[in-house]
Amino acid sequence: FNIQSGLFQHSFGKVHAGPVKAIWSDQLVSTAYSASLDGVIRRNKIVKLTPGIRTTLPTKKSKSLSTQALLDLNVPIAGVDVHPENELAAVSCDDAGLRVCDCGQMKVVRSFLGSGLGITASAWQPDGRRLFSASLDMAIRIWDIPTGT
């Protein structure tokens, strides 16, 4: 939907095998990312958006969104917190783990599995060097991204 007019802009059909837990785009709105309970993060190139058109993807007739890459974490994704200035995403998973994914390279660069119970929230430090997480065991943890501790 267009924020100013409130008018419907575009829709994409079924993209994942499970419910989508997060969606975000790059700053140029040329790439859309999505993460799902199926454990997959998808990077999709936005080729053409026609306002008011509802599209299922990908089909030979409609090329408005084409999948460029997949990252399968093999564990259901509970939530995603994307750093606003780089391509890093903090992905909280149902195994109480927190994975830092480089969405540009579509790979996991850090895994933090000592989160106790499930992750309830995460937030990036503005410079991207640290990641904060809260979990069901009522703890707040600070993770150092460069060292992995």
Side-chain angles (χ1 to χ4, degrees):
F1 288 89
N2 181 293
I3 293 174
Q4 291 179 339
S5 68
L7 296 175
F8 170 74
Q9 290 291 301
H10 201 83
S11 175
F12 303 106
K14 186 176 179 182
V15 178
H16 285 274
V20 175
K21 299 296 285 186
I23 187 164
W24 66 99
S25 71
D26 63 352
Q27 292 182 353
L28 300 175
V29 194
S30 62
T31 304
Y33 298 90
S34 57
S36 171
L37 268 178
D38 62 9
V40 173
I41 297 174
R42 298 174 74 96
R43 182 176 66 207
N44 302 290
K45 177 78 174 161
I46 300 172
V47 179
K48 179 182 176 186
L49 290 179
T50 306
I53 301 298
R54 194 173 294 269
T55 304
T56 56
L57 66 104
T59 67
K60 292 180 181 178
K61 293 180 180 178
S62 169
K63 301 214 182 231
S64 57
L65 190 69
S66 64
T67 300
Q68 289 182 314
L70 296 174
L71 175 59
D72 192 349
L73 299 179
N74 295 313
V75 62
I77 295 170
V80 177
D81 185 31
V82 180
H83 191 280
E85 295 181 14
N86 58 39
E87 295 183 320
L88 295 179
V91 181
S92 54
C93 299
D94 279 359
D95 65 354
L98 189 62
R99 279 113 174 132
V100 177
C101 299
D102 181 335
C103 295
Q105 299 294 318
M106 293 303 282
K107 67 179 185 178
V108 176
V109 294
R110 293 280 185 258
S111 291
F112 302 110
L113 301 175
S115 299
L117 301 174
I119 304 287
T120 57
S122 62
W124 287 97
Q125 183 173 316
D127 66 5
R129 293 184 54 85
R130 290 190 180 90
L131 180 63
F132 300 86
S133 68
S135 58
L136 290 171
D137 61 1
M138 297 176 277
I140 295 175
R141 293 174 174 82
I142 302 172
W143 307 98
D144 187 67
I145 303 304
T147 64
T149 57

